[in-house]
Amino acid sequence: MLDVAAAGKSPDDVRKPAAPGDVINVGMQEALPDPDPVASIYHRSLPHVYGYLLSRCGSASLAEDLAAETFMAAVAAARQPGAPEITVAWLVGVARHKLADHWRRTAREQRGLAAVAVLAEDADDPWDEHLDAQVAHAALARLPGPQRAALTLRDLDGLPVAEVAEYLGRSEHATETLLVRARAALRRIYREEGTGDA
């Protein structure tokens, strides 16, 4: 180590040793492998995570926010002892939880709103097959948070009712009732737009 007094310099004149990630001489800096598992998968997984969120929430800004929350959660998880392997599938699972959390927050904010219409029959209905995707997405966006969450997790993600109930923090019976009401509300909103089959 350099003897500061012998060199005639004060301790303030001597630079601290560079940290491993510091750029000392850009042209001579040796590329180090990235030890961060999230950084190594980020560019490959971002389109999947963002696409998953955007297709379910319909809002680019919300999808961006939730994707950021997903990757922040992944960074926090990677720092824990016994961290899980960070894969695209794992990140999409975290994104699903973040989306469910968002819907729960939204539902809490909208508790004052009146409940939607009458229970519809839970029968096989070919009406769903005739929905125009854009109009259906707009109608879905008009549903209250819990109904939108239930329909998205059940019908788009294909999760069983028990798992949807777990995500939403409800009983299985309450979730089945919520799904029936959500389908009836979606059908009513779609028809009010004048684009559905009567």
Side-chain angles (χ1 to χ4, degrees):
M1 177 158 193
L2 176 66
D3 183 354
V4 174
K9 295 185 179 181
S10 73
D12 292 334
D13 293 339
V14 178
R15 298 178 98 187
K16 292 181 182 175
D22 288 351
V23 175
I24 300 167
N25 205 341
V26 175
M28 300 184 70
Q29 180 70 18
E30 183 179 326
L32 299 174
D34 192 349
D36 184 353
V38 178
S40 64
I41 196 172
Y42 175 79
H43 292 292
R44 188 167 35 113
S45 61
L46 180 61
H48 297 285
V49 171
Y50 176 76
Y52 170 85
L53 292 165
L54 181 61
S55 68
R56 279 143 181 83
C57 72
S59 164
S61 62
L62 177 58
E64 289 169 4
D65 290 346
L66 294 175
E69 287 181 29
T70 298
F71 284 100
M72 288 189 313
V75 168
R79 291 180 179 163
Q80 299 299 318
E85 180 184 357
I86 308 296
T87 64
V88 173
W90 185 86
L91 287 164
V92 169
V94 172
R96 179 180 290 138
H97 282 281
K98 294 297 178 186
L99 188 57
D101 290 344
H102 165 74
W103 282 324
R104 275 195 292 272
R105 284 191 306 269
T106 301
R108 284 193 297 268
E109 293 168 2
Q110 296 178 348
R111 280 205 178 120
L113 298 175
V116 177
V118 185
L119 290 173
E121 293 178 336
D122 192 16
D124 288 336
D125 188 352
W127 183 82
D128 291 329
E129 297 170 7
H130 300 293
L131 289 176
D132 173 67
Q134 284 185 318
V135 176
H137 198 274
L140 184 65
R142 288 182 50 195
L143 292 176
Q147 291 182 352
R148 186 170 57 240
L151 282 178
T152 301
L153 292 170
R154 177 71 179 109
D155 296 337
L156 291 180
D157 288 355
L159 299 179
V161 174
E163 200 169 333
V164 173
E166 184 181 327
Y167 274 111
L168 298 179
R170 294 174 174 258
S171 71
E172 211 169 316
H173 178 61
T175 301
E176 288 171 349
T177 302
L178 180 64
L179 283 165
V180 169
R181 288 182 179 170
R183 287 184 181 119
L186 181 64
R187 187 175 288 113
R188 181 183 52 77
I189 291 169
Y190 186 83
R191 288 180 178 155
E192 282 175 2
E193 298 289 325
T195 57
D197 297 327

